[in-house]
């Protein structure tokens, strides 16, 4: 009886501890459930203490009369985990073969965070790093990035079009609230906004603020989702310079391919001349090699000098240079190969072009088999033929006098 009472008492005393453990196990599951709900199609509701996010992203697009696009971005970033050095904004300066000039980059911070700007080009993007490598930031910080874009408008037959990815698809964190304001020097009649990524795009909320400004808003953007604004202006409303285009990275035509085929034919010619014993001056090969390198450098450096190393373009001139360099390298390599074989020391193989040496050791060695058979006497000066085989030796032994 006492055992049963004691067991019930222990069970009742352990019940509060069990309840506390269950509650502790359920509390951390709430952010994870929110994240799973977001991945399944819900809205991002993760608290700032768990995940990094952008609570607010405000952008102002100001269209100038000369066709430039002045952009001012105010990014409120929540460094939930802390220990970060800043943010990195990726701006596309090349879309396909279309080029955009991004200049006058300025950065600041209203919350006192380090806001030193560093820019570099990586592939088709301009990377703007805002922050300091020697200082870390924590909590919620606000950054302001300003820059000017030239060549953003595309001239058309009856209108000039601006199609601009405002936020970019490189953010790895959710954006809770995003707002884009478009200001123009003329009346804005045709302007729209789409949000999302790929084919899953939806319309943004629109609010007209007078005849010259339109506001677009969107909430609950997932990582890598953006807002894309399209504006159509009447022809002649602003001065639109012609768009800038870069050469494709691979601009080789049939002419360049033909030059490569000629290079292969040149290799066959060099190999045939070497097999026939004819020599090609090595100086000619070095000249071809140098000319080929100059052609490749001239073709490649033209675009690299204007638009950076990521604007590398290989064209027909490069293929011609490669063809000359291949033939020149073959001539130089063949010359070195011949010189390496020709200059051999004593006891090494014969030189190229010489007749094979005569085996004098066989000429001066006596024939033991003939001496034993009594046919001829051993003489060092008697030339000896090839070694007799097993059948020949047996036949010699069967003759009179043989053993």
């Amino acid at each position: 009886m006492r055992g049963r009472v004691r067991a019930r008492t222990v069970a009742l005393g352990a019940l509060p501890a069990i309840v506390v453990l269950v509650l502790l196990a359920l509390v951390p599951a709430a952010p994870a459930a929110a994240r799973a709900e977001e991945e399944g199609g819900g809205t991002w509701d993760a608290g700032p203490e768990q995940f990094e996010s952008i609570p607010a992203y405000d952008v102002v697009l100001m269209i100038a009369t000369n066709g430039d696009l002045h952009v001012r971005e105010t990014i409120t970033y929540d460094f939930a985990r802390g220990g970060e050095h800043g943010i990195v904004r990726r701006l596309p300066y090349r879309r396909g073969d279309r080029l955009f000039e991004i200049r006058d980059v300025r950065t600041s911070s209203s919350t006192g965070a380090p806001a030193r700007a560093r820019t570099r080009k990586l592939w088709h993007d301009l990377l703007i790093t805002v922050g300091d490598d020697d200082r870390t930031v924590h909590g919620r910080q606000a950054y302001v990035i300003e820059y000017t874009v030239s060549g953003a408008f595309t001239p058309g037959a009856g209108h000039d079009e601006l199609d601009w990815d405002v936020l970019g698809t490189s953010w790895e964190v959710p954006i809770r609230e995003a707002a884009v304001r478009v200001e123009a020097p003329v009346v804005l009649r045709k302007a729209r906004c789409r949000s999302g990524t790929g084919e899953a795009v939806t319309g943004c909320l629109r609010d007209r603020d007078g005849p010259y400004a339109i506001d677009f808003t969107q909430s609950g953007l997932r990582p890598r989702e953006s807002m894309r604004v399209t504006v159509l202006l009447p022809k002649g409303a602003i001065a639109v310079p012609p768009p800038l285009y870069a050469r494709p990275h691979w601009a080789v035509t049939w002419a360049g391919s033909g030059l490569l085929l000629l290079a292969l034919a040149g290799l066959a010619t060099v190999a045939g001349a070497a097999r026939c014993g004819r020599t090609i001056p090595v100086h000619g090969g070095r000249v071809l090699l140098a000319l080929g390198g100059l052609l490749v450098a001239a073709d490649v450096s033209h675009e690299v000098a204007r638009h950076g190393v990521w604007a590398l373009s290989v064209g027909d001139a490069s293929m011609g240079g490669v063809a000359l360099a291949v033939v020149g390298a073959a001539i130089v390599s063949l010359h070195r190969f011949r010189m390496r074989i020709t200059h051999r020391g004593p006891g090494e193989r014969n030189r190229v072009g010489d007749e094979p040496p005569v085996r004098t050791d066989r000429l001066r060695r006596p024939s033991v088999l003939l001496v034993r058979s009594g046919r001829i006497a051993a003489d060092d000066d008697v030339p000896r033929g090839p070694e007799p085989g097993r059948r020949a030796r047996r036949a010699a032994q069967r003759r009179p006098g043989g053993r």
Side-chain angles (χ1 to χ4, degrees):
M1 189 68 180
R2 293 180 179 177
R4 293 180 182 179
V5 173
R6 184 176 298 176
R8 292 178 181 177
T9 305
V10 172
L12 292 176
L15 183 60
I18 295 175
V19 173
V20 172
L21 291 177
V22 171
L23 291 177
L24 291 177
L26 291 178
V27 169
R35 186 171 184 178
E37 181 183 359
E38 166 57 25
E39 294 178 355
T43 58
W44 278 90
D45 195 18
E49 69 278 358
Q50 292 293 332
F51 303 104
E52 292 186 1
S53 64
I54 298 179
Y57 202 130
D58 298 327
V59 182
V60 179
L61 303 178
M62 294 172 286
I63 302 173
T65 56
N66 61 352
D68 289 345
L69 183 66
H70 302 287
V71 184
R72 177 186 175 91
E73 299 183 4
T74 303
I75 305 172
T76 304
Y77 201 98
D78 194 348
F79 298 95
R81 292 172 296 184
E84 302 292 340
H85 296 277
I87 62 174
V88 178
R89 176 71 167 98
R90 299 176 70 105
L91 291 172
Y93 75 93
R94 177 171 179 168
R95 187 189 304 162
D97 298 334
R98 180 74 178 273
L99 291 175
F100 308 102
E101 182 184 358
I102 302 175
R103 65 180 191 275
D104 301 336
V105 178
R106 301 180 301 274
T107 56
S108 60
S109 175
S110 60
T111 57
R116 186 168 62 94
R118 289 165 296 172
T119 60
R120 63 186 180 95
K121 290 183 177 180
L122 180 63
W123 194 232
H124 291 172
D125 294 338
L126 176 68
L127 272 63
I128 304 176
T129 303
V130 186
D132 192 348
D133 292 338
D134 299 329
R135 296 174 57 186
T136 58
V137 291
H138 306 270
R140 184 169 296 186
Q141 304 292 339
Y143 298 93
V144 179
I145 304 176
E146 299 178 79
Y147 53 91
T148 301
V149 182
S150 297
F153 275 88
T154 302
H159 60 269
D160 298 324
E161 181 180 0
L162 170 67
D163 186 15
W164 191 250
D165 188 352
V166 182
L167 308 181
T169 58
S170 62
W171 293 106
E172 299 289 349
V173 297
I175 301 175
R176 299 177 183 274
E177 299 292 338
V180 179
R181 181 181 177 86
V182 182
E183 299 178 356
V186 297
V187 177
L188 287 175
R189 300 186 182 277
K190 297 181 179 181
R192 65 190 182 111
C193 170
R194 296 159 293 169
S195 63
T197 179
E199 297 180 356
V201 294
T202 58
C204 309
L205 296 179
R206 171 174 169 170
D207 183 20
R208 176 176 288 276
D209 186 11
Y212 303 103
I214 296 179
D215 295 328
F216 298 100
T217 58
Q218 188 59 272
S219 61
L221 293 175
R222 301 183 182 184
R224 294 188 173 276
E225 288 187 343
S226 180
M227 297 175 63
R228 196 177 196 92
V229 173
T230 303
V231 178
L232 299 181
L233 296 181
K235 195 68 177 179
I238 60 174
V240 178
L244 299 177
Y245 293 94
R247 294 177 57 191
H249 293 295
W250 182 258
V252 179
T253 62
W254 288 105
S257 303
L259 291 175
L260 284 181
L261 293 178
L262 289 178
L264 296 178
L267 289 179
T269 303
V270 171
R275 183 173 299 178
C276 296
R278 291 177 294 177
T279 59
I280 301 177
V282 67
H283 301 291
R286 292 172 180 171
V287 170
L288 292 178
L289 191 59
L291 288 178
L294 289 177
L295 276 178
V296 173
D299 182 49
V300 169
S301 62
H302 177 67
E303 292 295 326
V304 172
R306 294 177 57 185
H307 307 296
V309 67
W310 299 106
L312 179 68
S313 178
V314 178
D316 292 336
S318 295
M319 289 298 100
V322 169
L324 292 178
V326 165
V327 177
I331 296 174
V332 173
S333 300
L334 180 63
H335 176 75
R336 291 182 178 179
F337 178 73
R338 293 173 63 91
M339 293 297 294
R340 183 172 59 86
I341 296 181
T342 303
H343 294 84
R344 290 185 179 273
E348 297 182 351
R349 299 180 60 183
N350 59 302
R351 299 181 180 181
V352 175
D354 294 343
E355 295 296 333
V358 182
R359 297 291 300 273
T360 56
D361 56 338
R362 293 188 176 183
L363 294 178
R364 296 183 178 275
R365 185 167 49 184
S367 175
V368 179
L369 182 60
L370 294 180
V371 170
R372 292 180 178 179
S373 62
R375 299 281 302 275
I376 60 174
D379 190 358
D380 291 345
D381 295 330
V382 176
R384 182 190 175 195
E387 283 283 341
R390 182 181 300 176
R391 295 181 180 179
R393 290 197 298 268
R394 290 179 180 178
Q397 291 178 2
R398 294 173 183 172
R399 296 191 187 116
R403 297 182 180 179

